[in-house]
Amino acid sequence: MARLAHVGNAGLVTTPQNLDERFRDAVSSLPLPEARRAPGDAVRDGSTLTGARALELFDAQLASRHLDLAARWLRSFNEGFYTIGSSGHEGNAAVAAALLPTDPALLHYRSAAFFSARAKSLPDAARDVLRGVVASAREPIAGGRHKVFGSADLNIVPTTSTVASHLPRAVGLAFSIERPRSDSRWPRDAIAMASFGDASANHAAATAALNSAGWFEHSGVRLPLLLICEDNGLGISVPTPDGWLAAMLESRPGLRYTSADGCDLAATYDAATEAAGYVRRERRPAVLHLSTVRLMGHAGADAEVAYRTADEIARDLARDPLVGTARLLVEAGLLGPEEVIGRYDEVGWQVRKVAEEVLGEPKLANVAEVVAPLAPRRPLRAAHRITEVATRALGPGAAARSRAFGGKLPEQSGPLTLAQTINATLTDALAYDPGVLVFGEDVGRKGGVYGVTKHLQERFGDERVFDTLLDETTILGLALGAGLDGLLPVPEIQYLAYLHNAEDQLRGEAATMSFFSSGAYKNPMVVRVAGLAYQQAFGGHFHNDNSVAVLRDIPGLVLAVPSRPSDAAPMLRSCLASAASDGSVCVFLEPIALYHTRDLHQQGDNEWLAPYSGPGAWTTEHVPIGRARTYPLGNAQDLTIITYGNGLRMSLRVAAQLAEQGYGSRVVDLRWLNPLPVNDLVREAAATGRVLIVDETRRSGGVGEGVLAALVDGGFVGAARRIASADSLIPLGPAAQHVLVGEDAITQGAHALLAR
């Protein structure tokens, strides 16, 4: 590795070679021990860390350091693609030793020592990490898609977070572990551990996690959660104010706070052992604040001399945890200085050998290989699951189903509204899958703002249907953790606009899990969201949000929009089955304005209602993900109207008027906005050669843009026109009509096309 420039006149550097030289110089200058301790003795009076364990952890620390050096060596000739290192954070090896190997861990990106300590085999750990560095397709967790610390065998859940977005998931995982059940992925005595940096502690996701952990503790809910803050005093180039982390973390209600010097292996081990023991014994959350340093900058290309003084760098170098552990071992008489350096060189040789071996491994070769684990969708398997559930409902579960509905089955209750249909479908889901949980703001005792979850808590208890604190990040974090642990969460986001507070929990956490773990970990969920516009008496931009662009842009996410009761039940069952069988992340977007709609053409016609089908019809009425529904009117030869949501009702009304005028239409309800039912819409468009897209979302970034693109890509050569809402937030009251799509605009658009 080439020697790079020194820092100022002090000769301080942050390059790999000079860090290596400083370690050798510091160890060589250590005095020989006066006496030797036995490997079974404590390395220091008052510590619980034995010499034998200290030697094991030192090897993990050495591996971590040499992995950093190897990553920079690989980067020097463009064969390494990730150089965010762990140098200065090697003390987290002691955290790994303080936990059980069956404790799930969600790790900070400077956790190579933790990974190495839990892996036990140094060559295996080095190979896993370096395969990620070189983006090898043989990397065992992400398969070359990203460099992560993760392993299903080691119970290390991969995270790609740089801003603590994995912490709400950790809260959810601890919540799930503590639930009384026999099918948890982890043992009943397990605790969830998550580590994060000092700068990340200021992020909204971290604040949400710390707050919700305290909230649960204050509410009497047990939460076996250990949070580790590794505080190196810097967020890339921005220093963390002295004392801020301690003041902030210590003041958090409901969280037991302890701290230790993260550069002192024995002190870290003692503190981590005590903190983990408390969490395991009491099933209560705790945070351990470790003071660390950051060596060699934020990443390989980071020149920290641009924002740090020579004295600041010198102070960190003086606290190098590798030197600290070497001093501990020498003072205990477990190793001499030459033995330390020999051990250092031996580990370095092993890591370098592995680095050379992984250089030639194949990379991901094509799009199909890259996206393979993104969103595996097996419709036949999902359909089979629905059939299995229906069979149970008709057979041994019939009596339980009757009890769940209070003796009055919904298929015997006459036609239902959209809200009533969703309620009945959720009841059936809760009745036949003990892993289903329904939770969110006001979903329990109140039964939801619009009554969609009414009576569910009464029927199934507050263990399975419950209210959460009013924080969307926490709601989705609970779902992420519960899904990871094998449950099937159905969280509710009260309004679509509220989702934007927490959308990274879907984009950065939920959608990435299968992708960055090659399917080893999944977080199935069906997120119910009340949204879209057209509420008559209750409006404004928060309660009438009509933007779904952020959801359609998430790779692999399923976005369902049921418009009619007859579609809502089979679509929701499809989402639940896909989540259970494939680990799908689904968003079930429910049009608020259609919840209680009864009529289609005229008051009292009840044509928007639909009977609820019993289990005997679930298989035949199954709606696969990504299939549209077509309504032919008249001869259905003159015009194709493509729409969804509230647009379906308006389009059907307009199409009926056109039929009276002698024009035949086919109205296509997309039903699925991600993935779009491309084959269906292209086929229906070609049948008439004239396409009117009725899109209630905004003209810019709306669904209509995607439909137009799909038509072009599918070879459609006819005439197309788009009706969309204005690029505006939704105002309060009658003014909303000026920006939203209305029936008059649909009629005008239809006639313009028919005149061609």
Side-chain angles (χ1 to χ4, degrees):
M1 304 174 198
R3 182 189 298 271
L4 302 181
H6 283 54
V7 178
N9 296 323
L12 295 175
V13 294
T14 55
T15 64
Q17 182 160 336
N18 282 274
L19 189 62
D20 173 84
E21 291 174 355
R22 286 181 175 278
F23 174 80
R24 295 176 186 278
D25 291 344
V27 172
S28 296
S29 65
L30 292 174
L32 293 172
E34 296 181 0
R36 286 185 173 267
R37 297 190 184 215
D41 294 340
V43 293
R44 178 190 296 157
D45 292 343
S47 175
T48 59
L49 179 64
T50 66
R53 177 55 66 90
L55 289 168
E56 293 175 2
L57 297 181
F58 186 48
D59 284 344
Q61 291 183 305
L62 294 175
S64 177
R65 178 63 56 85
H66 282 292
L67 285 169
D68 283 359
L69 302 182
R72 283 158 175 77
W73 173 68
L74 290 163
R75 180 69 186 89
S76 69
F77 51 93
N78 295 321
E79 288 291 345
F81 308 102
Y82 192 93
T83 54
I84 296 179
S86 303
S87 295
H89 285 246
E90 290 91 350
N92 56 45
V95 178
L99 299 173
L100 296 178
T102 50
D103 291 331
L106 293 79
L107 299 179
H108 184 245
Y109 53 54
R110 301 193 191 278
S111 298
F114 183 108
F115 188 86
S116 299
R118 183 167 278 194
K120 301 295 184 183
S121 168
L122 189 153
D124 290 344
R127 185 168 288 103
D128 287 355
V129 173
L130 291 174
R131 278 175 165 165
V133 169
V134 301
S136 167
R138 294 175 182 170
E139 193 270 331
I141 187 69
R145 294 171 186 85
H146 193 51
K147 158 65 180 66
V148 297
F149 290 117
S151 169
D153 292 338
L154 300 178
N155 291 298
I156 297 176
V157 180
T159 69
T160 60
S161 169
T162 59
V163 287
S165 65
H166 60 296
L167 297 189
R169 179 200 294 276
V171 173
L173 183 53
F175 177 86
S176 179
I177 288 172
E178 193 59 14
R179 292 181 60 82
R181 44 191 281 254
S182 60
D183 59 344
S184 174
R185 181 167 188 159
W186 287 281
R188 287 284 295 127
D189 67 341
I191 67 175
M193 172 271 182
S195 56
F196 59 102
D198 52 296
S200 299
N202 299 302
H203 192 268
T207 300
L210 294 168
N211 179 73
S212 61
W215 186 88
F216 279 118
E217 166 66 14
H218 187 78
S219 302
V221 177
R222 290 291 180 253
L223 203 70
L225 174 67
L226 176 59
L227 298 173
I228 307 291
C229 179
E230 298 183 26
D231 179 4
N232 63 30
L234 286 165
I236 304 182
S237 67
V238 180
T240 298
D242 289 343
W244 164 243
L245 261 297
M248 186 271 285
L249 294 173
E250 195 168 11
S251 66
R252 286 285 176 181
L255 268 73
R256 185 175 185 267
Y257 172 86
T258 54
S259 62
D261 181 357
C263 296
D264 183 328
L265 186 69
T268 301
Y269 178 81
D270 291 338
T273 300
E274 195 280 331
Y278 167 82
V279 174
R280 196 178 311 280
R281 181 178 63 256
E282 301 294 332
R283 318 305 287 173
R284 290 178 169 175
V287 58
L288 172 58
H289 179 198
L290 298 177
S291 171
T292 66
V293 294
R294 193 186 74 188
L295 306 176
M296 293 196 294
H298 174 70
D302 178 35
E304 61 180 342
V305 294
Y307 54 85
R308 302 192 75 195
T309 68
D311 287 344
E312 289 170 337
I313 296 173
R315 284 196 296 270
D316 278 3
L317 284 167
R319 295 184 62 211
D320 184 342
L322 255 64
V323 175
T325 303
R327 182 181 299 111
L328 180 72
L329 295 172
V330 170
E331 289 177 350
L334 293 162
L335 293 175
E338 291 185 1
E339 292 173 294
V340 169
I341 293 175
R343 205 173 186 112
Y344 175 85
D345 286 338
E346 172 62 23
V347 172
W349 177 83
Q350 292 184 52
V351 171
R352 179 63 172 264
K353 182 174 181 290
V354 171
E356 293 172 351
E357 290 172 353
V358 301
L359 267 176
E361 292 188 348
K363 308 294 191 289
L364 293 168
N366 51 55
V367 172
E369 288 187 7
V370 172
V371 304
L374 181 62
R377 195 157 293 125
R378 294 166 287 190
L380 292 179
R381 186 171 178 177
H384 181 66
R385 180 177 176 86
I386 291 172
T387 300
E388 286 182 336
V389 172
T391 301
R392 290 200 302 271
L394 288 169
R401 182 169 186 260
S402 179
R403 289 194 299 271
F405 283 104
K408 186 177 183 181
L409 298 176
E411 57 266 36
Q412 301 169 350
S413 300
L416 305 181
T417 63
L418 179 65
Q420 291 169 333
T421 299
I422 295 172
N423 178 277
T425 310
L426 289 173
T427 301
D428 269 323
L430 286 159
Y432 295 110
D433 188 341
V436 171
L437 304 178
V438 175
F439 54 89
E441 302 168 8
D442 300 310
V443 304
R445 295 178 65 183
K446 182 179 176 67
V449 173
Y450 297 95
V452 180
T453 57
K454 190 175 182 180
H455 301 310
L456 294 185
Q457 190 177 78
E458 299 170 26
R459 294 166 178 166
F460 299 99
D462 58 10
E463 283 287 319
R464 300 188 62 201
V465 181
F466 54 90
D467 294 317
T468 66
L469 66 171
L470 272 64
D471 175 59
E472 285 70 29
T473 295
T474 295
I475 292 171
L476 294 179
L478 287 174
L480 286 163
L484 195 67
D485 194 25
L487 295 171
L488 183 50
V490 186
E492 178 184 296
I493 302 297
Q494 197 166 82
Y495 288 101
L496 177 58
Y498 297 175
L499 175 66
H500 305 313
N501 301 330
E503 60 195 31
D504 186 55
Q505 291 295 295
L506 290 180
R507 176 183 296 276
E509 291 293 320
T512 65
M513 179 52 68
S514 182
F515 186 70
F516 290 137
S517 71
S518 301
Y521 288 106
K522 300 176 182 178
N523 35 224
M525 66 177 72
V526 179
V527 185
R528 293 183 45 253
V529 183
L532 302 176
Y534 299 97
Q535 292 189 81
Q536 297 299 311
F538 189 49
H541 71 285
F542 267 113
H543 303 104
N544 270 329
D545 186 15
N546 67 336
S547 176
V548 298
V550 69
L551 292 170
R552 293 195 63 244
D553 187 49
I554 300 176
L557 180 139
V558 174
L559 176 56
V561 181
S563 302
R564 308 192 72 164
S566 56
D567 283 330
M571 289 175 68
L572 182 51
R573 281 193 286 269
S574 290
C575 287
L576 291 165
S578 184
S581 61
D582 295 330
S584 299
V585 177
C586 303
V587 172
F588 199 73
L589 180 58
E590 302 163 6
I592 298 173
L594 299 177
Y595 268 149
H596 306 299
T597 297
R598 306 178 68 86
D599 307 321
L600 175 55
H601 298 295
Q602 58 189 5
Q603 186 172 357
D605 67 17
N606 286 339
E607 289 192 25
W608 205 254
L609 303 177
Y612 185 83
S613 296
W618 290 356
T619 299
T620 57
E621 294 182 1
H622 172 56
V623 176
I625 290 173
R627 292 304 308 271
R629 178 178 181 179
T630 300
Y631 298 85
L633 287 89
N635 63 20
Q637 299 300 310
D638 301 314
L639 177 68
T640 299
I641 303 176
I642 298 176
T643 188
Y644 62 94
N646 294 286
L648 176 63
R649 183 171 182 273
M650 291 186 289
S651 296
L652 288 172
R653 288 166 59 88
V654 170
Q657 296 170 9
L658 292 174
E660 293 176 357
Q661 299 167 17
Y663 299 110
S665 305
R666 52 185 66 205
V667 179
V668 180
D669 181 7
L670 295 171
R671 300 194 292 193
W672 308 93
L673 302 188
N674 197 29
L676 282 172
V678 175
N679 292 336
D680 292 339
L681 67 90
V682 170
R683 182 190 64 249
E684 297 299 329
T688 67
R690 298 186 186 94
V691 174
L692 180 65
I693 301 168
V694 178
D695 178 12
E696 65 180 283
T697 60
R698 300 168 193 164
R699 179 165 293 275
S700 298
V703 175
E705 291 181 345
V707 174
L708 278 174
L711 290 174
V712 172
D713 291 344
F716 177 70
V717 294
R721 188 180 183 92
R722 178 166 60 116
I723 306 296
S725 295
D727 289 341
S728 170
L729 299 174
I730 310 300
L732 192 64
Q737 299 173 14
H738 300 312
V739 300
L740 293 172
V741 168
E743 290 182 26
D744 289 345
I746 299 172
T747 301
Q748 293 170 13
H751 280 295
L753 279 171
L754 291 168
R756 298 185 62 167

